[in-house]
Amino acid sequence: MRKLLFAAGALGAALLARRLLPGASLRGRVVLVTGGSRGLGLVLARELARKGARIAICARDERELQRAREDLRARGAEVLTVVCDVRVPGAAGRLVDSTVRHFGRLDVLINNAGIIQVGPAGTMSLADFQSVMGINFWGTVQVTLSALPHLRRSSLARIVNVTSIGGAVAIPHLLPYTCSKFAMIGFSEGLGAEVARDGICVTTVLPGMMRTGSFVNALFKGQREREVAWFSLGGALPLVSISAERAARRILRACELGERFVTLGLPAKVLRLVHALFPGLTVRALGLVDRFLPAPGGAGPEDPAEPGWQHREGLARSSLLNLGNRAARRNLEVPWADPEPA
């Protein structure tokens, strides 16, 4: 009992310190956010604008970047947009060079770019794994290696890697995504240990489900309509997911304080703890969860993965998804619709 009280007291002190410590200011700092044209990346950029940071964002789609630029400039942000596919060798270097050439330096890198593919493992091809690894993992590595020389010259020097609870616990029907996030966490933690001597702080972020509206553009295989339904529901219900705005504030607070590891959302924290204590039991429990998910069938390994907005039927169009739908419009996940105000 004494040990439990001590642990509870230490936790309370840590939480209080997090609220009271001022942390480093991001005002005037140059921050590069990959995947910043929509979803969580855009919400992070908005919060950075509110804090007075100078922002560079990148994405593959020029039209999406233009919408994001207009959104951010309307909020008073100083923003640079760069069309970049982080999978392409050399593109990461040009992205970082463009940022430094425009602003004169780089203080913070937020690796947020990523894609997610949903469906049973039997529907995924080698190309599916390579595509997800290319953006989520190799994109992170390439941009980071290009940014390190510039970060070593910064008085702040932060790297924030947005991974996933799926990088700590393998969630069924997300296998390529899970593989990429496991790799990303290993890279993030290992890098953090080695660059600390250079004064660079690396923050590894493990979000659970977030209401970003990403289910609109997530890629699906298998029985697509049924896969879209369960995945959309998880990204919309308030008890299961956290708002993108809350997630962004917590991520940037961790960056300011120089925290090394952050898990977002109570369900993700509980799942990570249970897995750490009872890994075998957790795997067996997730095997039972898999039985309730859509069975293999439909689009297979030879078929392309398709975005969720093309396969929204039944439950995926119900009122249960109202919060997720609003988030999708607000965070520019729906390019053909006007943004919904916050």
Side-chain angles (χ1 to χ4, degrees):
M1 178 61 72
R2 187 175 299 174
K3 291 182 179 179
L4 287 174
L5 290 173
F6 178 79
L11 177 61
L15 292 173
L16 181 61
R18 193 176 78 200
R19 287 183 175 274
L20 297 180
L21 288 174
S25 173
L26 294 174
R27 180 166 297 279
R29 297 293 188 172
V30 177
V31 184
L32 170 58
V33 183
T34 66
S37 64
R38 53 182 166 88
L40 178 63
L42 177 61
V43 179
L44 283 165
R46 288 169 176 166
E47 183 65 14
L48 285 163
R50 190 185 69 80
K51 289 177 175 288
R54 304 159 75 194
I55 311 158
I57 61 172
C58 77
R60 290 175 290 168
D61 190 298
E62 187 170 3
R63 288 175 298 179
E64 289 184 359
L65 275 173
Q66 181 179 349
R67 280 166 58 90
R69 180 171 60 246
E70 292 170 357
D71 178 283
L72 292 169
R73 285 181 175 171
R75 299 166 189 264
E78 182 181 357
V79 58
L80 169 71
T81 58
V82 182
V83 177
C84 177
D85 186 342
V86 295
R87 294 174 297 185
V88 178
R94 291 190 292 274
L95 167 65
V96 173
D97 289 344
S98 296
T99 302
V100 174
R101 188 165 54 249
H102 184 84
F103 290 111
R105 67 176 195 270
L106 177 62
D107 299 302
V108 180
L109 168 63
I110 301 180
N111 284 306
N112 170 76
I115 60 173
I116 185 167
Q117 290 195 188
V118 185
T123 66
M124 300 296 171
S125 66
L126 178 59
D128 292 321
F129 284 86
Q130 291 172 331
S131 177
V132 177
M133 288 292 292
I135 294 180
N136 297 6
F137 176 65
W138 287 114
T140 293
V141 172
Q142 290 173 167
V143 177
T144 300
L145 295 182
S146 297
L148 281 174
H150 303 285
L151 292 171
R152 288 189 176 100
R153 293 194 287 269
S154 170
S155 60
L156 182 63
R158 299 281 200 268
I159 299 173
V160 178
N161 293 319
V162 181
T163 67
S164 169
I165 185 58
V169 182
I171 309 299
H173 287 222
L174 300 175
L175 191 54
Y177 178 79
T178 288
C179 291
S180 71
K181 294 299 184 177
F182 264 79
M184 194 175 172
I185 288 175
F187 173 72
S188 187
E189 291 189 335
L191 179 71
E194 295 203 36
V195 299
R197 66 171 65 189
D198 299 324
I200 301 174
C201 176
V202 179
T203 301
T204 305
V205 182
L206 274 68
M209 297 295 284
M210 295 179 289
R211 292 191 299 279
T212 62
S214 63
F215 55 81
V216 174
N217 291 294
L219 301 172
F220 293 85
K221 300 184 81 169
Q223 299 186 58
R224 291 190 175 109
E225 287 77 11
R226 297 182 64 192
E227 296 286 351
V228 170
W230 80 261
F231 186 78
S232 301
L233 201 60
L237 295 179
L239 294 180
V240 179
S241 60
I242 64 173
S243 74
E245 291 76 17
R246 179 183 168 194
R249 288 192 297 270
R250 181 66 184 92
I251 290 169
L252 295 182
R253 183 61 174 155
C255 175
E256 291 168 335
L257 292 175
E259 294 182 64
R260 305 290 178 166
F261 202 97
V262 178
T263 305
L264 300 180
L266 181 60
K269 292 176 181 177
V270 171
L271 182 57
R272 181 168 165 259
L273 177 62
V274 170
H275 181 268
L277 296 173
F278 310 105
L281 179 62
T282 304
V283 173
R284 285 195 291 271
L286 290 170
L288 293 175
V289 171
D290 181 66
R291 294 172 182 262
F292 291 93
L293 296 177
E302 303 304 318
D303 297 306
E306 295 182 352
W309 62 264
Q310 294 184 9
H311 300 279
R312 297 186 66 187
E313 302 291 342
L315 185 63
R317 289 186 174 274
S318 73
S319 60
L320 291 173
L321 267 72
N322 282 350
L323 288 177
N325 290 332
R326 291 195 202 111
R329 290 175 65 102
R330 187 167 61 249
N331 301 328
L332 305 188
E333 291 280 4
V334 188
W336 57 87
D338 291 331
E340 178 170 301

